[in-house]
Structures are given as C-alpha cells and as structure tokens.
C-alpha cells in the first residue's frame, strides 16, 4: 500500500532518556537518592546531547523523514524565570540539523522530567505550574517556532492517572512501603511536604490531573499566540482496552478515567498523538494480567501489535481529529520479534488508512536503546543499539527494515 505523500515517518526520543547529564532535572535528584527506586541513574545516557548531529544524520540515512525529540525544560529554564539562550541555541541547532537532512522535526515540550525548582514549588499538583509551563512554551516558540511545524505539549498526560489506577495498586504491600519511604525521602530532598511532593509521574491526584490538563491548554494557547499555524497536540498512552464477557462496565470505567477525560480536552487540538504498546483486557473484577503462556515483552506487556489499530480507531472516533502515532514499539532483545511487531502494527495503520481515517504519521519508539526510567538501561526499545562503554551506535536489522518502508513510503501487506 502506498502511503499518503506527506506521511511522516519517524523515530521518537525523549531528552532525559538520551541526552545525558540532565543535572537540573527532578529525575536526576530522584535517581541519586539513597535507596532510590531507580535501578541505575541515567548518567551520560547515550550522549545524544553531544552526538545529535551524527545521530540525526544516521536516522535520515536510514530513510526517516521526521524526528520527534523533546526539549528539556530543566536545561532551557534551570532557574525559575532564567532562560538559557545557549540551551535554546542548542535545540535550534538540532532543529537545523533535522531540516538540513530534509527531516521535519516534531518537538515535545515536556517528556516526564521537569526542572528541580518546579518540584520544589509544589510540582504538578500546584496550580501555578500550569502558567509556568506555558511561559516556558511561549519562550521556546518565540526562539524556535520558525523551525517547527509540529508540537506535542506534554507526553502521555494520562500516565500519572495510570500509575494511580493500575501500577500502584498492582504492587505488593512491600513495594508500596518501599515506594512510600522513597517518596518521603524525595520530598525531603526537594524541601516539600510529602503531600506537596509532585514530580509529573507522582502527580496522581485528581488535582494533579487538572493541573496537567490546564498546563496543556495554556501551552497550546501560548504556542498558537507565537505562531498560529503550528500543529499542536497532546500525546496519550492509549492501550487498546478490550472487554471480555461481563467486563464491559469495568472497561468503560477505566477507559473513561484513563482516556476519555483527556480525549475530551484534546478535541480542541490539531491532532491526537497516539502512543500504544499493548492491549489491556478487562473482566467483571477489573483489569486482567496477560494470560498464562502468552508472549510477553521485556516490560511484561503482552506481545500484541494489533493494539495499535484499536487505539487509533478509538482516539479518532472520539475526537474526530487527525491521528499521529507518536510512539509505538517494543522492548525486546530479539530484533526479529521487533520486526514482527512493527510489521503487524503497520498493518493496523494500513487498515486505518484504508478505512478512510486521517492518519498523518508514524513514529517508532525508539531510535536508540536508552534510559528506560526506573528500569534503567535493561529494556531495549531501540532500532539502534548503543554500547554503554564506548557509545558506539550499531544499527539493528529492524532499523533498516523500517527505514526501507519509510523511504519507499510503501508497505507491502504480506
Ligand atoms: C514513554 C517513553 C517510554 C516508553 C517505553 C512511553 O510510555 O513515552 O518515555 O520509554 O513508553 O516504556
């Protein structure tokens, strides 16, 4: 199948996961706490901060015509109200590098990490944070907006809600105690009370959700005020939510809390960014773990590439917006399974296009094996491997396979 002419084929990364030495960010603090919940610190990551030129050139050579990366708020505004021109220039050079290779950049303004001072002020449950985020968005667009066509405000705005509803209750009592101790120690490190402790991922309260939604809306307005024609959207973690017999009410309840509340706000945007990794199944008791014996990824997700089509259809129907798949991929050490995953996921994209849906692009997560948050460097989502000692890049067969499809703009359905 021939894809639409302007179709965006890209890979995605997030600053903290690839740049290295993000020392002014809240995550850096969390990673270095005594008895931290992080397996290992991000450290130099894959040193994308210095190696972006070669990295972007390599992605272009592989066949991709777009690159989604995030701008690090903690670098651009390391102190409340101080904007670093040098850091903005760094991101300007990244954008110029993309454009010089004929790649359209897509910029994410927030991908999980925030400046330390944001958390010290009360983080993502503090109403003021929304305005501070919009001020940062305005400054980024003022300095860089002329080089950008696509902006994602906040990556996976529904992740804190997901942590509240799925991840936390799913852990053993022992892990919950460990988590509480970690949060108490972390709150102290930021000199806030435990109630006020709210890095993005920890803003699990309803108030946190509202601040995050407000931050999105204010940031959209800020971007549009700088340049009205930039395409702006949110990205959401959207599992394909499936009900087994009798599980419909549970499915609908969780889908409302985790997806609909956010999709309703997204309706006012230019596109919806769909990020899908697997499906979630629901029975009358609630969410079900993957069935015994099914193939699981390094993350413990069911290997279910067909989830993408379901999530895309749901998001498009709900919002009537153009869809961009802003992340899709798999953590696996078996690159042949990665190819199989992408093959079946792309079949879903083709089905959506054949059904007449407005799908604008597809971004694989991720360009590189990188820092997978609390799990450290063990999970490998990359199309490109990185030697942790030498930082040498090694292109995996999956990168060539997907790059060829991108280059041809054709997917052979077989
Ligand atoms: C996030 C990425 C993460 C990926 C794989 C997404 O939820 O946006 O930062 O690395 O999933 O877990």
């Amino acid at each position: 199948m021939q894809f639409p002419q302007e179709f965006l084929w890209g890979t995605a990364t997030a600053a903290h996961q690839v740049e290295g030495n993000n020392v002014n960010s809240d995550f850096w603090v969390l990673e270095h706490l005594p008895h931290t919940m992080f397996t290992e610190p991000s450290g130099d990551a894959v040193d994308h901060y210095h190696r972006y030129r070669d990295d972007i050139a390599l992605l272009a050579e592989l066949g991709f015509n777009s690159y989604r990366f995030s701008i690090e708020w903690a670098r651009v505004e390391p102190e409340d109200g101080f904007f670093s021109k040098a850091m903005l220039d760094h991101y300007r050079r990244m954008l110029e590098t993309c454009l010089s290779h004929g790649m359209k950049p897509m910029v994410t303004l927030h991908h999980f990490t925030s400046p330390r001072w944001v958390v010290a002020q009360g983080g993502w449950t503090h109403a003021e944070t929304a305005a501070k985020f919009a001020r940062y968005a305005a400054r980024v667009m003022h300095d860089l907006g002329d080089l950008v066509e696509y902006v994602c405000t906040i990556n996976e705005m529904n992740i804190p809600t997901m942590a509240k509803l799925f991840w936390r209750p799913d852990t053993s009592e022992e892990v919950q105690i460990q988590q509480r101790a970690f949060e108490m120690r972390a709150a102290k490190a930021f000199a806030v009370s435990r109630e006020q402790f709210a890095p993005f991922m920890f803003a699990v309260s309803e108030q946190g959700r509202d601040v995050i939604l407000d931050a999105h809306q204010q940031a959209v307005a800020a971007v549009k005020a700088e340049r009205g024609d930039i395409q702006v959207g949110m990205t959401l973690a959207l599992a394909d939510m499936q009900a087994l017999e009798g599980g419909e009410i549970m499915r609908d309840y969780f889908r409302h809390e985790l997806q609909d509340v956010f999709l309703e706000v997204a309706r006012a945007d230019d596109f919806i960014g769909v990020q899908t990794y697997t499906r979630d199944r629901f029975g009358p008791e609630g969410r079900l773990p993957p069935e015994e014996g099914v193939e699981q990824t390094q993350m413990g997700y069911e290997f279910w590439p067909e989830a993408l089509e379901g999530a895309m259809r749901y998001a498009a129907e709900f919002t009537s917006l153009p869809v961009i798949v802003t992340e899709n991929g798999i953590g696996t050490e078996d690159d042949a399974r990665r190819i199989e995953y992408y093959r079946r996921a792309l079949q879903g994209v083709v089905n959506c296009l054949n059904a007449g849906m407005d799908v604008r692009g597809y971004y694989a997560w991720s360009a590189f094996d990188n820092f997978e948050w609390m799990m450290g460097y063990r999970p490998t989502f990359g199309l490109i491997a990185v030697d942790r000692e030498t930082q040498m890049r090694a292109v995996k067969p999956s990168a060539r396979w997907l790059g060829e499809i991108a280059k041809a703009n054709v997917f052979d359905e077989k």
Side-chain angles (χ1 to χ4, degrees):
M1 142 133 199
Q2 175 78 42
F3 275 66
Q5 225 193 346
E6 296 287 299
F7 197 81
L8 299 164
W9 287 100
T11 61
T13 60
H16 189 75
Q17 295 179 271
V18 293
E19 286 183 343
N21 296 293
N22 189 15
V23 297
N24 288 314
S25 70
D26 53 354
F27 269 67
W28 190 269
V29 177
L30 299 176
E31 290 162 22
H32 290 275
L33 283 176
H35 311 293
T36 178
M37 303 271 295
F38 284 75
T39 327
E40 56 187 320
S42 51
D44 283 335
V46 300
D47 195 25
H48 190 56
Y49 182 81
H50 295 105
R51 294 166 195 259
Y52 70 89
R53 282 184 202 281
D54 289 347
D55 287 344
I56 291 170
L58 176 57
L59 293 168
E61 191 189 303
L62 284 168
F64 298 101
N65 65 12
S66 183
Y67 178 43
R68 173 177 175 238
F69 65 92
S70 77
I71 292 185
E72 184 58 49
W73 187 7
R75 287 190 196 275
V76 169
E77 193 181 359
E79 293 295 338
D80 186 0
F82 167 72
F83 288 93
S84 164
K85 185 80 176 77
M87 286 301 163
L88 285 161
D89 283 347
H90 167 81
Y91 289 110
R92 190 163 185 88
R93 289 190 290 273
M94 279 186 80
L95 292 165
E96 284 167 351
T97 306
C98 289
L99 294 168
S100 75
H101 288 286
M103 292 171 105
K104 282 193 181 165
M106 172 181 279
V107 159
T108 308
L109 293 171
H110 186 274
H111 197 125
F112 297 167
T113 44
S114 311
R116 290 174 183 224
W117 60 264
V118 168
V119 176
Q121 289 182 7
W124 290 91
T125 48
H126 182 50
E128 191 83 4
T129 296
K132 295 273 168 89
F133 178 65
R135 182 181 67 178
Y136 148 76
R139 180 59 199 259
V140 170
M141 284 306 122
H142 177 265
D143 283 45
L144 310 177
D146 57 320
L147 302 183
V148 179
E149 242 174 274
Y150 294 92
V151 170
C152 306
T153 54
I154 300 176
N155 183 68
E156 295 187 344
M157 298 173 49
N158 56 344
I159 276 278
T161 308
M162 196 175 286
K164 173 171 116 186
L165 294 179
F166 285 168
W167 301 342
R168 293 189 174 203
D170 263 8
T171 55
S172 65
E173 205 178 322
E174 197 185 324
V175 173
Q176 288 183 31
I177 290 169
Q178 199 189 352
Q179 165 109 21
R180 203 172 316 141
F182 172 70
E183 285 183 23
M184 284 164 74
R185 199 172 281 118
K188 234 176 167 180
F190 287 99
V192 292
S193 67
R194 172 131 187 271
E195 294 66 46
Q196 284 177 315
F197 174 69
F200 179 77
M201 293 275 207
F202 297 78
V204 298
S205 62
E206 215 163 289
Q207 198 186 342
R209 187 190 66 191
D210 293 347
V211 169
I212 291 166
L213 283 169
D214 185 26
H216 166 75
Q217 288 171 307
Q218 288 200 42
V220 172
V223 173
K224 292 282 183 188
E226 283 297 334
R227 250 197 63 191
D229 57 333
I230 291 183
Q231 301 291 295
V232 195
M234 66 171 71
T235 82
L236 293 174
L238 296 178
D240 183 16
M241 293 197 169
Q242 303 179 356
L244 304 191
E245 213 183 307
E248 292 80 3
I249 291 177
M250 279 294 169
R251 191 268 315 272
D252 292 350
Y253 165 72
F254 282 106
R255 193 158 60 184
H256 177 264
E257 294 298 305
L258 283 170
Q259 304 191 349
D260 302 356
V261 168
F262 297 88
L263 289 169
E264 256 161 42
V265 175
R267 280 184 177 140
D269 299 342
D270 297 316
F271 66 86
I272 178 72
V274 171
Q275 312 202 157
T276 302
Y277 290 88
T278 190
R279 66 173 171 178
D280 273 324
R281 293 150 59 254
F282 295 83
E285 307 300 325
R287 182 184 182 224
L288 301 165
E291 259 172 321
E292 277 291 300
V294 302
E295 181 178 350
Q296 291 185 25
T297 72
Q298 286 171 328
M299 304 295 282
Y301 302 157
E302 181 180 356
F303 182 95
W304 193 258
E306 285 72 20
L308 181 62
E309 179 178 351
M312 289 170 74
R313 285 180 184 269
Y314 188 72
E317 248 163 63
F318 198 103
T319 60
S320 308
L321 289 174
V323 167
I324 302 181
V325 178
T326 39
E327 284 182 24
N328 177 238
I330 174 175
T332 177
E333 58 282 354
D334 182 349
D335 200 51
R337 291 312 284 160
R338 191 182 331 276
I339 293 179
E340 178 63 5
Y341 183 94
Y342 281 128
R343 194 183 63 73
R344 282 163 52 182
L346 283 179
Q347 182 60 56
V349 177
V350 166
N351 295 345
C352 289
L353 284 164
N354 282 338
M357 272 169 57
D358 184 356
V359 186
R360 303 270 169 97
Y362 178 88
Y363 292 79
W365 185 270
S366 181
F368 308 101
D369 289 342
N370 62 32
F371 180 67
E372 182 54 33
W373 309 110
M374 284 206 183
M375 293 173 85
Y377 290 97
R378 196 187 57 84
T380 45
F381 278 88
L383 293 169
I384 299 165
V386 181
D387 184 300
R388 298 238 35 81
E389 283 303 312
T390 63
Q391 296 283 7
M392 290 286 284
R393 277 54 173 154
V395 173
K396 300 180 191 178
S398 55
R400 303 217 182 274
W401 181 87
L402 193 58
E404 284 307 317
I405 292 170
K407 215 180 284 180
N409 203 25
V410 171
F411 176 68
D412 175 2
E413 300 184 23
K414 286 296 130 321

